[in-house]
Structures are given as C-alpha cells and as structure tokens.
Amino acid sequence: MVATVTESNLGLLRSFFFLCPMFHLKNIRKTTCLFLTVCLSMSPSLAEDQEFIDDFLKREYSLAKPYRGLGLSSSSQWDLMGTAMVTPDHVRLTPDLQSRQGAVWSRIPFFERDWELKVQFKIHGVGKKNLNGDGMAIWLTKDRMQNGPVFGNMDQFVGLGILLDTYPNADKTHDKSFPYVSLMLGNGTLSYDHDSDGRHTELGGCTAMVRNAIYDTFLLVRYSKNRLKLMVDVDGKQEWKDCADVTGLRLPPGYFFGASSATGDLSDNHDIISMKLYQLTIERSLEEEQEEEDVTVPRVDDMDQFTVA
C-alpha cells in the first residue's frame, strides 16, 4: 500500500510556498521533505487507512462521481432499479417517502481473490429517532436486480450482505443499539428475520451512528485469505473502528456488487456517494495455495447452519 497526501495537507503545502518566497531553493527542498514527513505522521486517516495507488483501484467495479451514463448508457457498468436515481452528488436509492425500494447493481461479475471495498454513504431524514426506516445494504451476491424484503433485495440470497439497519423491530430492551451494522452470509436457504433484526443469522456487527450524522460516513470491507473484516468511520475522526471480523468465510467467485434500500411505514433518504473497490496484493505460501479450494456455495467453516448434509 502507498500513502497519499490529503487535500488539506496539500493546501498547507501551497500556503507554505506562498509565505516563504525568500527561501533558497535548496532550503525549500529540505524543508518540503520535512513538512511532508510531518503531515504523513500526523494524519490519522493515513495511519489507519493507507489507500492503494490508482493502479490497484478496480474502476470497472467502482461507483463514483460524476456517475456518467449510470443506468442509462449501454456502456455503463451499473444498473439502477426501482426508485434509485442519480444526482450530481449521490445515487439516491430511496427518498424520504413511504413504501419505496431502490437499488444499484454492477453488471460485471467479480473474480478477485483478495479485495477491499470502501463505501461512502448517507442516511438522513426528517423523522425523529426510531421513527425512521428501514435501512440499506451493500451486497456481493450470486443474483442481481431482485426486489425483495431484505432492505430492498431478495430473501434467501446467496452471498454476502452488509446490513445497515436504522429501525429496531425487536424488543427495544435487547442488547443492540440502533443504528446497527451487521454481516450476514446467505447460502440460499437462510432467511433474514426482520422481527428479530436479523439476530439469528448475524455473523457480527456493531452500533454505528450513521443516521443524520454531521460527518461523512464510511464503511470498509476487507476480504483476504478467507477472512472478512468490517470497519466503520462515522464520527469524523478519520479512523477505522472495528465492527466485525470473521475467519473461515468462503465466497465463490463470479458474484455481483450492489446496494439497495427500502422504506415502509417509516422512511429516510438512503444515498450512495461512492463504492470503491481495491484489489489487494497478498503473498501466499505454497502451503496456503495448496489449501485453497474451489467453493460453489458460501459458507463459514465450522458453523452448523452452513453444513451441507
């Protein structure tokens, strides 16, 4: 991974040159190196989230401004569904209106073995806390463009779901605080239970104040060597907070990325600002390569609900 200089640091650098025109060129070069070193060491976002250079960004699987031709052009790599619409600043999956469903899905099946997905999103509305809903989800699944009851996607899906649930359906006294971000792996037989807020099929999750946040909100999914980590950055500290960590999680290739949302009697705006997919370069030993196996159905090792009879 290669660290990059943030826009704020670049601004400081420009100001530095403007204020110091009397410096000898040699001195400026030395001072600039010192300045850049200090910026990199002080930036929390770089310390915790060093981004890959552009060569590792897989643009064919990424969604970002200015969204040219999204859902309209035959050359677009993404499709819109339901109430989803494109604006200059975001892709709005559902507006703050009742009984809406919307989604955006990649057209290209995904085959990378080690990857990282960074999503910037926004959930906001006029409803008071616990008078809003229902939430949104990020997907990597076998089927695409399917309406359904799981935050705008089909139930009994096959693949991975990252669920951002903003409304507690279950007893308000249970151990979850909302909004809640969770992982679910589907094998085609497991159903998401809204009444229990997905408690029985959750692989891990965390509370994250993602609704009406005053800061930009992000989530990060990293998958490598059959280990999946979920992290969030929602409090303006530019630091990733661990949310879930699952080992032995096996995903078949050829699935599709997507994002969906649904509203019911309660509603919110659910917006995707960007989905950026990075290929990870991971070294494997010969033994690790030999232990790799072809997977046809998603599963987590040593978990009964994924055991094939």
Side-chain angles (χ1 to χ4, degrees):
M1 285 187 285
V2 179
T4 57
V5 181
T6 62
E7 292 183 6
S8 59
N9 289 340
L10 286 174
L12 290 172
L13 184 58
R14 297 187 189 101
S15 300
F16 172 81
F17 282 122
F18 178 77
L19 294 173
C20 304
M22 71 293 294
F23 278 17
H24 188 274
L25 179 60
K26 185 176 182 181
N27 290 334
I28 288 179
R29 287 174 177 169
K30 290 181 178 179
T31 309
T32 301
C33 290
L34 177 62
F35 178 86
L36 290 173
T37 301
V38 171
C39 285
L40 290 173
S41 63
M42 291 180 64
S43 172
S45 62
L46 293 176
E48 299 295 330
D49 178 32
Q50 292 180 314
E51 292 190 359
F52 298 97
I53 59 176
D54 281 348
D55 287 347
F56 290 92
L57 175 66
K58 305 293 288 186
R59 298 185 185 279
E60 65 270 33
Y61 300 111
S62 297
L63 177 66
K65 298 176 186 178
Y67 317 119
R68 290 193 182 95
L70 176 60
L72 300 174
S73 170
S74 60
S75 62
S76 174
Q77 292 154 345
W78 295 80
D79 283 319
L80 298 177
M81 186 176 72
T83 60
M85 62 178 293
V86 180
T87 79
D89 298 317
H90 54 255
V91 177
R92 174 151 294 168
L93 302 176
T94 55
D96 193 357
L97 297 170
Q98 295 177 329
S99 303
R100 300 293 194 272
Q101 287 192 2
V104 57
W105 284 94
S106 172
R107 293 177 177 174
I108 306 174
F110 182 69
F111 290 95
E112 297 296 335
R113 188 161 59 164
D114 305 292
W115 50 270
E116 182 176 275
L117 178 68
K118 182 177 180 180
V119 182
Q120 183 178 2
F121 62 96
K122 188 172 184 179
I123 301 175
H124 56 109
V126 298
K128 295 181 179 179
K129 184 176 181 180
N130 292 341
L131 292 175
N132 60 278
D134 286 326
M136 61 189 296
I138 309 299
W139 305 100
L140 178 58
T141 55
K142 179 180 179 180
D143 300 296
R144 61 187 291 273
M145 302 290 284
Q146 300 291 321
N147 282 318
V150 187
F151 301 99
N153 191 25
M154 63 184 290
D155 196 13
Q156 297 185 332
F157 60 88
V158 179
L160 178 69
I162 297 98
L163 314 176
L164 294 85
D165 192 350
T166 58
Y167 180 77
N169 292 284
D171 183 352
K172 307 297 189 295
T173 62
H174 68 40
D175 56 0
K176 285 184 180 181
S177 297
F178 284 74
Y180 193 82
V181 183
S182 66
L183 286 175
M184 178 178 171
L185 190 69
N187 61 4
T189 65
L190 299 176
S191 290
Y192 179 83
D193 181 12
H194 277 283
D195 291 338
S196 67
D197 297 311
R199 189 178 192 136
H200 304 301
T201 50
E202 177 190 328
L203 295 178
C206 65
T207 296
M209 297 297 114
V210 298
R211 182 179 183 267
N212 284 344
I214 61 175
Y215 306 106
D216 292 337
T217 48
F218 302 87
L219 65 81
L220 184 76
V221 186
R222 182 177 294 143
Y223 183 70
S224 176
K225 295 184 178 181
N226 302 319
R227 179 184 181 184
L228 190 140
K229 291 190 68 176
L230 172 63
M231 292 169 276
V232 295
D233 175 8
V234 299
D235 55 11
K237 295 182 179 180
Q238 295 183 306
E239 295 177 349
W240 292 114
K241 171 189 172 185
D242 291 337
C243 185
D245 191 345
V246 182
T247 57
L249 190 152
R250 301 179 186 273
L251 282 169
Y255 286 6
F256 297 90
F257 281 107
S260 68
S261 174
T263 65
D265 293 335
L266 303 174
S267 63
D268 262 335
N269 298 301
H270 299 90
D271 302 335
I272 292 290
I273 298 171
S274 65
M275 296 174 62
K276 295 182 179 180
L277 192 287
Y278 296 90
Q279 176 188 356
L280 302 182
T281 302
I282 303 295
E283 292 186 357
R284 282 177 169 78
S285 66
L286 179 60
E287 182 180 355
E288 287 174 328
E289 290 287 359
Q290 292 173 342
E291 290 177 351
E292 287 287 330
E293 60 179 275
D294 293 333
V295 180
T296 57
V297 179
R299 75 171 195 269
V300 179
D301 293 345
D302 303 321
M303 291 190 71
D304 290 341
Q305 62 263 48
F306 297 104
T307 300
V308 179

